[in-house]
Amino acid sequence: MSPAPKVLVVTLGTTPGWSASARELTDAFARAGAEARLVGTAPGRSVRTFMLTDYGQARAVRRTVLRTLAGWPADALVYCSITAALLWPRPGAIWLDSLAAENRPGRHGVWQRVLERRRLAGAPVVMTMADDSLQPLSSRRRPPAITVPVPVAPSGPPASQRDIDVLAYAGDPVKRRLELILEAWSRARRSAETLVVTGTGPVGAPPGVRFTGRLDPDAYRALVRRARVFVAAPRREDFGIAPLEALADGCLLVTTPSPGPYPALRLARELDPRLVSEDLAPALRIALDDPRPGYGDRAARLLQPFSRAAVERTVAERVLPRLLAR
């Protein structure tokens, strides 16, 4: 019997979301029969520009990969995010949510956009979290890709009572446009209705708003299971795990039509286009007062491609064979 192939998955240690996603992908490779190992970089120091930020992170990945390969010679590498692959010491698969071509415009991505095209052309496999993650590239520069989303599943049985009217996640209040959400809620709210905001501390004391601060993942998902509506207004969304988790846990999704791959936006439009609007206030009232029958059941069906079983099947049948092909 031949030994299991060794697959090294490397990720940036910059966000909890990427770390959790990389663990899911590593587990999928392991269940596909590989000896998979995950390594991450330490959070880097804060610098002034995106160009320097990406350079520092890419250098950290390069050092981590070289150090790991010296003691653990992997058969294949997987870089989680395009930034992780920019200065690779050895070609590998790339798993990305978005491109520098989209989120590093102008001077912010002068060198990143050039290297990005080279890395995508040289990768044995390109995996995208959303079907349209490569849309910013011209068709001539767009490599073949396999869609491998972050797995999404219900976090537990539904709460006996959905006693939270509206829930919002605002880990980064600026990027999540919390002020826009609060303003819309001030117009949409009636009587004793409450908006619960997680991921950040209190911003003033708006009526009908409660802030929880940062929560551990289990406590956060427990709140999601109690919510009737989840509201989101990102400036742009690369993947957007929180809205997908909200749909998985039975919430109606109210969102702005934000730019970026943002797969939950496509699902929200298919489930009820009335709930997708730049003006969140009327959309919130529709969700609270006139929800479409069967919304939760249809959401569960639309989320089937995001299930852990579907992702693991894709990795085993399509990704790993191509990654190991000689």
Side-chain angles (χ1 to χ4, degrees), residues 271-284:
L271 289 164
D272 189 345
R274 301 175 302 165
L275 307 187
V276 179
S277 175
E278 288 290 357
D279 189 354
L280 293 172
L284 284 166

Side-chain angles (χ1 to χ4, degrees), residues 49-298:
T49 67
F50 284 128
M51 287 190 293
L52 284 175
T53 297
D54 294 342
Y55 179 68
Q57 292 176 355
R59 282 193 65 193
V61 167
R62 182 181 180 86
R63 290 193 299 267
T64 299
V65 170
L66 289 172
R67 184 170 59 248
T68 304
L69 291 178
W72 197 74
D75 298 297
L77 278 74
V78 179
Y79 298 93
C80 293
S81 82
I82 192 68
T83 302
L86 289 176
L87 298 178
W88 66 19
R90 175 177 145 189
I94 301 174
W95 189 38
L96 60 90
D97 54 353
S98 64
L99 295 170
E102 182 173 25
N103 61 25
R104 294 291 188 265
R107 61 183 176 81
H108 298 294
V110 169
W111 70 274
Q112 301 98 308
R113 294 193 300 270
V114 174
L115 273 182
E116 172 178 86
R117 294 193 293 268
R118 296 177 188 171
R119 296 298 175 257
L120 291 171
V125 183
V126 175
M127 298 176 283
T128 61
M129 290 188 182
D131 293 339
D132 54 356
S133 294
L134 300 181
Q135 196 64 37
L137 298 177
S138 67
S139 57
R140 180 172 58 87
R141 295 184 183 276
R142 202 175 300 157
I146 301 172
T147 302
V148 183
V150 180
V152 177
S155 60
S160 57
Q161 181 181 2
R162 290 192 177 266
D163 57 349
I164 295 173
D165 299 299
V166 182
L167 180 69
Y169 172 76
D172 184 324
V174 175
K175 290 182 179 179
R176 300 295 156 194
R177 293 202 291 180
L178 178 57
E179 286 190 3
L180 179 69
I181 292 173
L182 295 178
E183 187 279 329
W185 182 241
S186 72
R187 291 186 286 122
R189 178 178 180 256
R190 292 179 185 166
S191 60
E193 291 175 338
T194 302
L195 164 69
V196 175
V197 179
T198 72
T200 188
V203 178
V209 180
R210 178 166 64 89
F211 291 86
T212 69
R214 295 188 180 275
L215 301 172
D216 66 64
D218 290 340
Y220 167 72
R221 292 297 293 273
L223 276 186
V224 178
R225 294 196 301 273
R226 291 168 51 197
R228 296 169 60 194
V229 177
F230 185 91
V231 60
R235 289 186 179 277
R236 70 176 308 280
E237 192 60 88
D238 295 331
F239 181 69
I241 190 71
L244 290 169
E245 290 176 340
L247 288 172
D249 276 331
C251 297
L252 279 74
L253 175 59
V254 171
T255 182
T256 53
S258 304
Y262 197 7
L265 175 60
R266 175 180 57 82
L267 302 187
R269 283 178 167 143
E270 188 167 346
L271 289 164
D272 189 345
R274 301 175 302 165
L275 307 187
V276 179
S277 175
E278 288 290 357
D279 189 354
L280 293 172
L284 284 166
R285 285 274 36 112
I286 292 171
L288 291 168
D289 300 336
D290 186 27
R292 283 195 170 169
Y295 185 103
D297 291 338
R298 288 184 293 117

